[in-house]
Amino acid sequence: MSFLPPTLLLLSCSVSANSRAIPRPPPPPSLGDPEGRGRAFPTCCAKRAKMAAAASARWLRIRCRLCLPLKSRRADPCEQAPSCRAFIFCRFYSESAALPNVEGADVTGIEEVIIPKRKTWDKVAVLQALASTVNRDTTAAPYAFQDDPYLIPASSLESRSFLLAKKSGENAAKFIINSHPKYFQKDIAEPHIPCLMPEYFEPQIEDISEAALKERIKLRKVKASVDMFDQLLQAGTTVSLETTNSLLDLLCYYGDQEPSADYHFQQREQSEESEEATEENNEKSRKKAGPQLGVTWRAKNNAERIFALMPEKNAHSYCTMIRGMVKHRAPVQALNLYTELLNNRLRADVYTFNAVIEAKALMVNEKFEEKWNNILELLKQMVAQKVKPNLQTFNTILKCLRRFYAFGRLPALQTLREMKAIGIEPSLATYHYIIQLFYQQESSAKGSPLIIYDIMNEVMGKKFSPKDPDDDAFFQSAMRVCSSLRDLELAYQVHGLLNTGDNWKFIGPDNRRNFYYSRFFSLLCLMEQIDVTLKWYKDLIPSVFFPHSQTLIDLLQALDVANRLELIPQIWKDSKEYGHTYRSDLKEEILMLMARDQHPPELQVAFADCAADIKSTYENQDARQTVPDWPANPLNYIAVLFLRAGRTQEAWKMLELFRKHNKIPRNELLNEFMDSAKASSSPDQAMEVVKLASAFSLPICESLTRRVMADFAVSQEQKEALGNLTALTSDSDSDSDSDISEGK
Amino acid sequence: MLRRMSAVLPLRPLSRLPLCSGGPEALAAAVVLLGASPGAVRFFSLMHLSRTQNNIQRYFGTNSVIYNKKDEQSVPTHEISKETESQDSVKENTKKDLLNIIKGMKVELSTVNVQTTKPPNRRQLRSLEATVGRLQRAPEDAPKKRSESLSPELVAAASAVADSLPFDKQTTKSELLRQLRQHEEDSRAQKEGERPKISFSNIISDMKVAKSATARVSTRPVHQIQFDEGSDDYGGQEKTADLRKSLRKNIFKGKRLNIFDLKAITEEAPEAETAPSLWDVEFAKQLAAVNEQPFQNGFEEMIQWTKEGKLWEFPINNEAGFDDDGSEFYEHVFLDKYLEDFPKQGPIRHFMELVTCGLSKNPYLSVKQKVEHIEWFKNYFNEKRDILKDSNIHFN
C-alpha cells in the first residue's frame, strides 16, 4: 500500500464514502484488500483527478470520518490492515493541511487553474534525450564492441571479426528460425512482439492463380514466379498488366537470378576491399555490391521472353526492362529498347533516363566527346518530354564523367552549376564525384587544387541526409585530398563538417572510417604541434579507430621531430595492445629511435626495459616460426640499449646472438662494447669483442686490437691471441669460416 | 499463473519491468487479476481488467458516482473536451482575427506569429523548424529560402486581407505582395541581418498597432520563442556568409549546361500515384544503409529496440499498447455525461450508473462502442416507456 500516492488514497476513500448513498451498492473496497484497489486506478487518472480531489478535500474530511469507522467495522482478512489505516489517516491529514487555501478559497479558486496542454511525446523522445547526454568515452572501445572483457577487440582486425561474428550469429539464428518456423510458434511475449516471430518465406497459395503469382513475386521467388507465370499462360489465363509488370520488375532487378538470402551486412563486408583500397577498386566493388555479384544480362532470358510475350506493354514495362539491362551491363540492348520505347510514343520516367544516361556512358568504342554529346542529347529529350531531372540524374552524369578523366572536368562543373541553377541541392555523393574527377591519383599535382576549397566553403556547417548510395564516400575522398595536399587547415574543416549534426553517420563502413581517421591522424602527425597531436591521439585512439602500424610509425616520427622520445615506451605498449606486436617495421622504428642518441640515465633504463620487451617478442616469434630469424638492425639496437642502461650481462648475451644468427654487428656497437669493457676494466671482454670482429673479418678488427693493446693491461697469452686474430682477419676467409663454426 | 508471468518477465528487456513494480503485493494483485480474466491478458490498466468478473468488480467502488453528485467536479472533464473542440475552431478564429484586425485597422503586433500558430499542425511546425535550421546553417542561402518559406503564408495573409476589403481584390493583393517583396529585397541588399519579423513590423508600421483581444488564444509563447531563436542566429552569421560568397564564385558561378529551365522544373506536375515498385523499395533500402552506424551508446540500442517493438514505449504508463483511435483514458472512464437524458434519480438512474461504472472499467470496448451501449439502453427504455409509466416510473 505504501507505494500509493496520497491522492489515490483520497479518492479511494471518497469512493467508499460515496457508495453509501446508493441503496444497494457493491461492497466498498476494504483497505487490506489484496487486489490492491488503489492500483486499479490508473496513475495518470490520479494526476488528472488530483484537482478534483483537492477541491473536495473539505467534503472528503466529513465523509471520511464517516467511512473509516464503517470500514473498521468490516471484517478485514488481511493482517496489515491496521497499519494501513493508520497510514491513511496520516497521509490524509498532511494532504488536507497542505491545502488550506483551497478550502478557504472555495470553488471559485478552481476556475483560475489552467490545465496545461497535454504534451504528446514521440515514443523514442525520452530515449533520444537520454542518448544525447552520453558522450564518447575516449578511454574505451566503441559501444558496439563492449562485451565480455575477453572478447572486446583491441585491433582493427579483431574488431572486424568481432562485428562479423556478431552479425553472422544473428543471421544464423534468423536463418534457423525462418527455415523452421514450426518450431518457433510459442509466443510468450504479451503484448505480441512481431519481430521476434518467424517470417514466412514460403508461398502459402498452392493453386495456380494470379494471386499465387503475386505472392511469389512478393516473396521474391524468381524461378517460382516465372514457373507460375508460364503455367498461367498455358492454362490460358491472362495475367493482368500490373502483375506482369511487377514480375518484370523482379526479373530485371535481380537479372533473372534467384536473389541470395537478404543478409546485407555480410555481403557488403565481403565485397568491400580491405583497408586503404584505392578509389577505383572501391568503385568496382561498389558497383558489384549487392546480392548478384557479377550477374550479367543474358540475351533471351526470362525477362526478355516474358516481355516479348506481353500482349500490351506500357511505359513501365519498357522502363523496367531498360533499367534492368543497364543494371546488369547490357547498354546496347538498353539503348535499342529505349529507341523502341520512343517509337511506340511512350514516355520514359526519370529513373529510366538516369539508366539510359549510364548506358550511353558505358558504351565502348566511343570517344569521350561523343559520349558527352549523347548524354546532352538525352537531357534535351528529357526537357522535350517534360521529365523533371532529379538528384540521381546529375549524380549519374557526374559518376560517368569520372571515367572521362581530364575531359570530364569542364562538363562536370557545368553539370554542377546546372544543378544549382535549377534548385537541386547537391548531395555528398555529388561532391565526392567531383573530388574524384579533379583529384585523380596521377594528376593531383596539376589538377586545379582550388576545387576542394570551394566545395568545403559550400558545404561547411550543412547537415546532410542520405540521398544517394554513394553519400558515404565523401569524407574518405575529401580526407584523401587533404592528405595529398598536406593541408591541415582543410582537414580540420572536413573534420568539423563530419562532426556537424548527424553528418558523422556518413563516414561509411568500418574500412572507410579507418581510412579517414588514419589519413587525418597521419596529417596531424606531419603538420601539427606534438602536444596537439598527442591530444588527438588520446581522443581518437582507441575509442574511434584502431591505428595501423603505419599510423604509429607516423606518430613516432612526429615524436622524433618534436624531440619527445621519452614517450616511446608508452607507444610501444599501445602498439602491443593494438595488435602490432609482430610488426617488424614498427619495432625497428621504435628501436632505432631509442638507440640513435645518448639519453639521460633514467630514460636509458626505461628504454632498456622496452628493448627487453621487444626482444622477447622476437624470441616468441622465433618460437612461432619454423625458421627463426633475427634481423641485424634490431640486434644492434637492442645490444646498444642494454649497454647504455648498464645491463652489461644481457648485452653480452646479445653479442652471442650475433654469432648464432650469423649477423654482422656494426662498428659503433663494437666500439661501445669496447667502452663497456674498459669501464669494467675487463680485458677478457675486450678480447671477446675482438674475437667476434675477427670472426666476421670486419675491417674494424685492427683498430679494436690496437685499442685493446693501448687501453687494457693484457697478458702475454692474450697478446698472442690478438696477434693471431689480426693475422687471421688479414688472412683468408676459410679460417674465419672455421672460426665461426667453432663459435657455433 | 505466477509461473507463467515470471516466465514472461525475464524474457523481456529490463525496462518492461517497471509496470510490475510496486513490490510483492502488486505482483500478487496482478497475478490474481491475470487469473481472473481468461484469454488475452493486457497489462495496460489493471482496473479495466475486471470486466467479466463481477466478484472482482465489486471490490471497486462506484467511483464515477462522485462526479455525478458533485457537479463542479465534472467541470474539468467537460472543459477538456470543449478545449479539444475549440482547437478545431482556432483556424477559423485566426481568419476571423485577421478580418477583424483589418477592418478596425488594428494590426496584431506580430503577424508572423498569427500565421505560425494556426491549429497545432505538427507538419507545419516541423517545416518551420527545418527552415530555421537552414537559416542557421546556410546563411548564404537564407534570403532565398526565407522568401520561399514565408511567402506562402504571406500570400495567404495578403489574400485574406484583400478578401476583407471592399476594393478590387486582385489589386489589393498584388499591391500588398509587391510591398512585401520590395521590402525583402531591400533587407537583402542592406545585409544588416535584419530579422524577418522586423521587416514585417516595418511593413505594417504605418498602420495603427494594437493588441487584439482575441489574440491571447492564438499566440502561444512556445512558437514565438522558436522563431526568435532562429532569427537571432541568422543575424550573427551574416558576415561570414559574405566572405564565403566571395570565395566560392569560381566553381558555382559560370557557364552551365543551359538545358533545363528552372520554371519547368519547379512547376508542379500532377504525378500519378503508384505503388512503389521493387526498384523504389530497394533504392530506399540502399539509402537507409548509407548512414547506418553501430550504436554509440546503450540508449541508441534501446531506441532501436523500441522501434522494433521489443521494448515498452516511453513514457511508461498504464496505456502501453493500448490504442483506441487516440481517445484518452478519461473518455473511457468518465461516462456520466452520457446519462444526461436519463432520470436524475430512481431505479433507472441507479441501473444506468451501474452500467456506466461497468463500462468505465472495461478495456475491451472502444469509446464509441461504450457510447453505443448506453444509447441502446436509452432506446430500450424509450420503447418500454408505457410499461414504465404503469409502474410509476418516469422516463423522459
Side-chain angles (χ1 to χ4, degrees):
Chain A
M1 269 313 185
S2 54
F3 58 86
L4 279 178
T7 16
L8 270 185
L9 293 174
L10 274 175
L11 278 176
S12 40
C13 271
S14 70
V15 164
S16 54
N18 223 352
S19 62
R20 286 174 67 245
I22 304 167
R24 251 186 350 167
S30 56
L31 274 175
D33 191 331
E35 260 85 344
R37 161 194 81 303
R39 259 169 56 85
F41 217 98
T43 32
C44 40
C45 174
K47 269 181 223 152
R48 299 275 171 156
K50 188 164 189 167
M51 280 190 1
S56 62
R58 189 183 53 174
W59 168 79
L60 274 173
R61 279 231 295 215
I62 304 159
R63 290 303 187 121
C64 254
R65 225 166 280 151
L66 295 172
C67 95
L68 286 166
L70 177 110
K71 244 177 261 156
S72 54
R73 256 186 279 132
R74 252 165 229 291
D76 215 330
C78 188
E79 307 89 35
Q80 71 188 67
S83 64
C84 272
R85 206 171 304 134
F87 176 68
I88 289 224
F89 269 120
C90 156
R91 298 298 296 176
F92 185 68
Y93 182 73
S94 67
E95 186 78 10
S96 60
L99 295 163
N101 52 343
V102 175
E103 266 181 73
D106 213 345
V107 195
T108 47
I110 296 168
E111 288 170 359
E112 288 170 19
V113 179
I114 299 162
I115 301 174
K117 282 272 165 230
R118 175 176 176 170
K119 284 181 183 164
T120 41
W121 296 100
D122 184 25
K123 59 183 177 181
V124 293
V126 176
L127 289 171
Q128 273 166 348
L130 285 170
S132 69
T133 63
V134 182
N135 292 324
R136 177 164 53 88
D137 178 3
T138 52
T139 61
Y143 176 77
F145 296 140
Q146 284 172 24
D147 202 320
D148 186 306
Y150 179 75
L151 296 174
I152 292 178
S155 69
S156 49
L157 199 73
E158 278 175 37
S159 72
R160 206 178 134 77
S161 52
F162 179 94
L163 287 179
L164 283 173
K166 208 168 169 182
K167 195 70 194 174
S168 54
E170 273 171 35
N171 286 342
K174 232 182 234 169
F175 175 78
I176 294 291
I177 291 178
N178 286 334
S179 41
H180 302 284
K182 61 181 170 183
Y183 299 124
F184 298 92
Q185 286 309 312
K186 191 167 165 59
D187 187 11
I188 40 177
E190 182 63 49
H192 177 65
I193 299 175
C195 73
L196 295 183
M197 300 308 285
E199 294 171 67
Y200 286 95
F201 288 121
E202 290 307 316
Q204 305 291 308
I205 307 175
E206 293 297 330
D207 58 336
I208 297 165
S209 67
E210 192 168 325
L213 175 59
K214 271 184 188 162
E215 190 193 29
R216 278 156 182 73
I217 292 170
K218 208 173 158 219
L219 293 172
R220 306 193 178 178
K221 303 270 177 204
V222 172
K223 199 167 174 312
S225 307
V226 173
D227 289 348
M228 181 61 69
F229 182 81
D230 289 341
Q231 284 171 2
L232 279 171
L233 272 196
Q234 276 165 17
T237 331
T238 45
V239 184
S240 74
L241 179 64
E242 199 186 328
T243 313
T244 321
N245 276 344
S246 56
L247 175 61
L248 276 184
D249 278 345
L250 180 72
L251 291 178
C252 293
Y253 187 82
Y254 291 112
D256 198 17
Q257 300 281 311
E258 206 70 38
S260 60
D262 209 7
Y263 300 131
H264 296 295
F265 182 84
Q266 234 176 338
Q267 294 289 346
R268 206 174 49 191
E269 283 293 313
Q270 281 167 1
S271 61
E272 300 279 3
E273 240 66 10
S274 58
E275 60 180 62
E276 300 186 22
T278 61
E279 303 303 313
E280 274 310 303
N281 285 345
N282 236 344
E283 183 47 41
K284 273 175 204 154
S285 72
R286 254 192 167 265
K287 272 198 79 72
K288 284 188 279 181
Q292 55 287 102
L293 278 151
V295 171
T296 47
W297 189 267
R298 285 174 290 115
K300 301 283 169 218
N301 63 7
N302 283 320
E304 284 191 9
R305 188 171 59 86
I306 290 170
F307 184 72
L309 279 173
M310 283 169 79
E312 49 161 347
K313 300 160 197 169
N314 64 2
H316 185 96
S317 327
Y318 280 99
C319 289
T320 196
M321 284 296 286
I322 294 170
R323 290 173 78 179
M325 285 167 174
V326 174
K327 184 174 184 232
H328 299 106
R329 308 188 162 215
V332 185
Q333 284 129 300
L335 290 174
N336 290 341
L337 201 60
Y338 175 67
T339 333
E340 201 179 310
L341 169 98
L342 291 183
N343 290 340
N344 285 333
R345 297 176 187 284
L346 290 169
R347 268 180 48 181
D349 60 5
V350 61
Y351 308 104
T352 312
F353 269 111
N354 299 347
V356 178
I357 288 170
E358 205 182 324
K360 288 274 187 202
L362 280 175
M363 293 292 282
V364 280
N365 301 331
E366 273 188 35
K367 282 178 187 157
F368 293 146
E369 204 173 345
E370 230 170 298
K371 285 184 182 174
W372 175 238
N373 285 335
N374 284 338
I375 289 173
L376 287 182
E377 188 55 41
L378 276 174
L379 293 180
K380 279 170 192 154
Q381 285 178 21
M382 283 178 86
V383 176
Q385 295 188 30
K386 291 206 170 55
V387 176
K388 281 192 266 178
N390 59 12
L391 178 71
Q392 250 56 53
T393 314
F394 293 103
N395 278 356
T396 312
I397 297 172
L398 289 172
K399 202 169 159 184
C400 297
L401 283 173
R402 268 187 319 177
R403 295 193 209 108
F404 294 6
Y405 306 105
F407 175 82
R409 290 188 181 177
L410 190 61
L413 284 185
Q414 286 178 350
T415 312
L416 184 67
R417 287 171 198 145
E418 183 85 1
M419 274 178 95
K420 287 292 257 184
I422 63 170
I424 290 177
E425 194 58 31
S427 77
L428 284 176
T430 317
Y431 297 120
H432 164 66
Y433 298 140
I434 289 180
I435 289 174
Q436 285 206 318
L437 179 61
F438 279 87
Y439 298 93
Q440 269 150 356
Q441 284 92 332
E442 63 271 28
S443 56
S444 60
K446 59 177 177 163
S448 56
L450 280 176
I451 287 285
I452 181 98
Y453 297 98
D454 289 338
I455 290 174
M456 281 318 292
N457 282 330
E458 172 72 14
V459 296
M460 263 320 258
K462 280 192 190 170
K463 290 174 186 164
F464 289 91
S465 54
K467 285 176 187 160
D468 189 288
D470 270 345
D471 272 354
D472 59 352
F474 169 78
F475 285 107
Q476 190 191 12
S477 55
M479 193 47 82
R480 184 174 59 81
V481 174
C482 294
S483 148
S484 69
L485 291 176
R486 302 236 184 288
D487 189 336
L488 185 64
E489 203 53 44
L490 191 66
Y492 277 135
Q493 275 187 23
V494 173
H495 197 66
L497 179 67
L498 180 75
N499 287 321
T500 307
D502 272 349
N503 287 354
W504 60 270
K505 287 186 175 168
F506 289 101
I507 199 161
D510 226 24
N511 54 337
R512 295 222 170 129
R513 180 176 45 237
N514 272 334
F515 179 88
Y516 173 89
Y517 278 108
S518 327
R519 285 296 174 95
F520 181 47
F521 191 71
S522 297
L523 197 57
L524 283 173
C525 291
L526 200 63
M527 314 281 292
E528 189 54 277
Q529 289 177 354
I530 190 68
D531 290 326
V532 184
T533 310
L534 286 172
K535 230 181 239 169
W536 278 106
Y537 178 75
K538 282 206 183 95
D539 187 49
L540 296 178
I541 297 169
S543 65
V544 177
F545 78 114
F546 297 110
H548 296 306
S549 56
Q550 187 55 45
T551 313
L552 288 169
I553 290 175
D554 289 341
L555 178 64
L556 287 172
Q557 280 161 357
L559 288 174
D560 182 24
V561 169
N563 209 9
R564 292 284 294 275
L565 293 178
E566 72 272 13
L567 289 170
I568 287 179
Q570 184 57 43
I571 304 291
W572 164 243
K573 246 186 184 170
D574 289 352
S575 0
K576 269 202 305 188
E577 194 155 313
Y578 304 138
H580 302 307
T581 315
Y582 299 112
R583 291 269 176 180
S584 48
D585 49 348
L586 178 65
K587 284 194 283 192
E588 230 168 273
E589 182 78 22
I590 289 176
L591 288 172
M592 189 271 283
L593 287 175
M594 287 196 297
R596 199 182 49 197
D597 299 314
Q598 289 275 2
H599 294 282
E602 57 272 26
L603 191 56
Q604 285 297 352
V605 171
F607 279 0
D609 290 341
C610 181
D613 198 25
I614 294 176
K615 178 173 168 258
S616 69
T617 67
Y618 276 107
E619 278 157 5
N620 291 342
Q621 191 181 24
D622 288 351
R624 294 189 333 156
Q625 290 177 353
T626 45
V627 187
D629 190 32
W630 265 91
N633 284 343
L635 276 176
N636 278 309
Y637 297 138
I638 293 172
V640 166
L641 285 167
F642 280 150
L643 272 182
R644 286 184 193 157
R647 293 162 77 160
T648 337
Q649 285 289 321
E650 287 164 77
W652 285 105
K653 272 183 197 151
M654 289 304 292
L655 216 50
E656 291 300 311
L657 281 176
F658 276 101
R659 237 179 244 228
K660 190 176 158 197
H661 294 293
N662 202 9
K663 298 287 181 212
I664 299 167
R666 284 193 194 160
N667 297 346
E668 300 85 40
L669 177 66
L670 292 177
N671 275 328
E672 289 220 24
F673 266 108
M674 200 55 89
D675 292 344
S676 145
K678 192 183 166 192
S680 58
S681 56
S682 143
D684 290 338
Q685 286 179 350
M687 284 297 294
E688 207 41 48
V689 176
V690 179
K691 265 184 198 159
L692 186 79
S694 71
F696 286 111
S697 353
L698 294 177
I700 196 178
C701 195
E702 276 181 61
S703 64
L704 283 177
T705 319
R706 245 174 278 132
R707 264 190 80 181
V708 174
M709 296 292 202
D711 292 352
F712 293 89
V714 282
S715 62
Q716 193 55 43
E717 282 174 45
Q718 283 165 332
K719 264 184 191 165
E720 274 174 28
L722 275 177
N724 284 341
L725 284 173
T726 33
L728 272 173
T729 44
S730 52
D731 219 41
S732 65
D733 282 353
S734 57
D735 280 331
S736 67
D737 279 347
S738 65
D739 212 47
I740 289 166
S741 52
E742 263 172 45
K744 275 180 184 173
Chain B
M1 209 58 221
L2 184 62
R3 198 182 50 79
R4 180 175 165 191
M5 197 149 108
S6 54
V8 171
L9 291 176
L11 281 166
R12 285 299 160 87
L14 204 67
S15 35
R16 284 209 162 180
L17 283 174
L19 245 188
C20 293
S21 69
E25 319 103 293
L27 195 67
V31 171
V32 170
L33 286 171
L34 280 168
S37 67
V41 177
R42 294 198 178 220
F43 281 98
F44 77 94
S45 169
L46 290 172
M47 189 187 84
H48 290 176
L49 275 168
S50 54
R51 173 181 69 137
T52 48
Q53 306 296 319
N54 275 336
N55 57 338
I56 290 174
Q57 190 176 342
R58 82 198 132 83
Y59 290 108
F60 304 103
T62 52
N63 56 334
S64 51
V65 181
I66 317 162
Y67 299 96
N68 181 31
K69 301 280 177 194
K70 282 295 224 177
D71 272 348
E72 69 266 24
Q73 277 182 309
S74 56
V75 168
T77 324
H78 291 296
E79 263 185 5
I80 291 166
S81 56
K82 262 181 211 161
E83 205 148 348
T84 46
E85 282 163 28
S86 72
Q87 280 180 7
D88 299 330
S89 60
V90 172
K91 188 171 188 171
E92 285 176 1
N93 279 347
T94 23
K95 202 173 172 186
K96 263 182 220 158
D97 282 352
L98 214 58
L99 296 185
N100 287 340
I101 289 160
I102 298 299
K103 273 175 193 157
M105 285 311 279
K106 290 177 179 174
V107 175
E108 205 184 311
L109 193 61
S110 54
T111 324
V112 183
N113 284 332
V114 177
Q115 283 302 318
T116 51
T117 56
K118 273 190 273 187
N121 185 339
R122 221 155 251 285
R123 192 173 48 79
Q124 195 190 359
L125 243 180
R126 214 171 293 148
S127 76
L128 182 71
E129 279 167 4
T131 320
V132 170
R134 259 180 272 145
L135 282 172
Q136 290 170 335
R137 284 298 165 199
E140 59 268 23
D141 288 334
K144 202 181 78 194
K145 288 278 157 53
R146 192 182 60 203
S147 69
E148 272 174 16
S149 62
L150 279 181
S151 51
E153 288 168 2
L154 285 180
V155 173
S159 50
V161 172
D163 285 345
S164 68
L165 292 178
F167 317 117
D168 181 6
K169 282 167 187 167
Q170 276 304 317
T171 330
T172 322
K173 186 181 164 187
S174 56
E175 269 173 9
L176 278 169
L177 285 179
R178 197 180 58 215
Q179 203 171 357
L180 293 180
R181 283 198 196 109
Q182 176 75 39
H183 194 88
E184 283 234 321
E185 274 166 24
D186 285 353
S187 59
R188 211 178 307 165
Q190 285 167 3
K191 287 207 173 118
E192 286 171 357
E194 282 215 336
R195 303 171 186 186
K197 220 175 97 188
I198 292 173
S199 72
F200 250 93
S201 38
N202 282 348
I203 294 167
I204 54 178
S205 62
D206 294 340
M207 308 177 185
K208 189 182 168 190
V209 175
K211 198 99 179 165
S212 162
T214 51
R216 197 174 58 87
V217 191
S218 52
T219 48
R220 283 206 207 104
V222 187
H223 301 233
Q224 203 168 355
I225 288 165
Q226 280 180 347
F227 204 87
D228 284 348
E229 277 171 359
S231 41
D232 272 337
D233 278 346
Y234 169 67
Q237 295 194 354
E238 191 76 320
K239 211 175 172 185
T240 42
D242 263 7
L243 198 72
R244 281 182 207 154
K245 238 179 204 168
S246 62
L247 269 173
R248 68 161 209 215
K249 251 174 204 161
N250 26 21
I251 170 170
F252 293 101
K253 296 277 182 315
K255 229 179 92 184
R256 67 181 179 105
L257 296 176
N258 279 321
I259 291 175
F260 293 104
D261 189 17
L262 178 59
K263 234 188 224 164
I265 301 302
T266 46
E267 81 182 8
E268 283 295 314
E271 292 214 2
E273 274 297 312
T274 48
S277 70
L278 182 67
W279 296 93
D280 301 332
V281 173
E282 286 299 317
F283 185 71
K285 264 191 205 165
Q286 258 182 311
L287 276 195
V290 163
N291 65 349
E292 218 171 60
Q293 288 290 323
F295 304 118
Q296 298 297 300
N297 53 53
F299 293 118
E300 286 186 7
E301 201 166 8
M302 284 167 81
I303 289 174
Q304 183 59 33
W305 287 340
T306 311
K307 283 178 181 162
E308 288 171 358
K310 293 179 189 167
L311 267 195
W312 290 112
E313 291 172 10
F314 279 101
I316 290 175
N317 59 27
N318 284 342
E319 292 165 60
F322 179 70
D323 183 33
D324 180 20
D325 300 333
S327 53
E328 297 286 337
F329 81 94
Y330 54 81
E331 295 172 55
H332 276 273
V333 174
F334 303 126
L335 299 164
D336 291 352
K337 60 180 174 185
Y338 301 109
L339 295 189
E340 277 170 3
D341 293 340
F342 289 90
K344 292 274 179 277
Q345 54 191 1
I348 292 181
R349 180 71 186 192
H350 182 217
F351 175 77
M352 285 313 295
E353 274 165 4
L354 290 180
V355 168
T356 48
C357 176
L359 284 176
S360 69
K361 293 168 184 174
N362 188 330
Y364 302 104
L365 297 179
S366 67
V367 173
K368 208 175 141 226
Q369 281 170 315
K370 289 179 181 181
V371 175
E372 277 168 3
H373 199 74
I374 297 173
E375 286 290 305
W376 185 89
F377 278 111
K378 200 171 130 191
N379 293 334
Y380 178 81
F381 287 124
N382 259 328
E383 283 167 18
K384 309 284 178 211
R385 195 177 293 186
D386 295 342
I387 306 171
L388 290 174
K389 232 171 213 166
D390 289 348
S391 32
N392 213 7
I393 297 167
H394 295 283
F395 187 84
N396 49 335

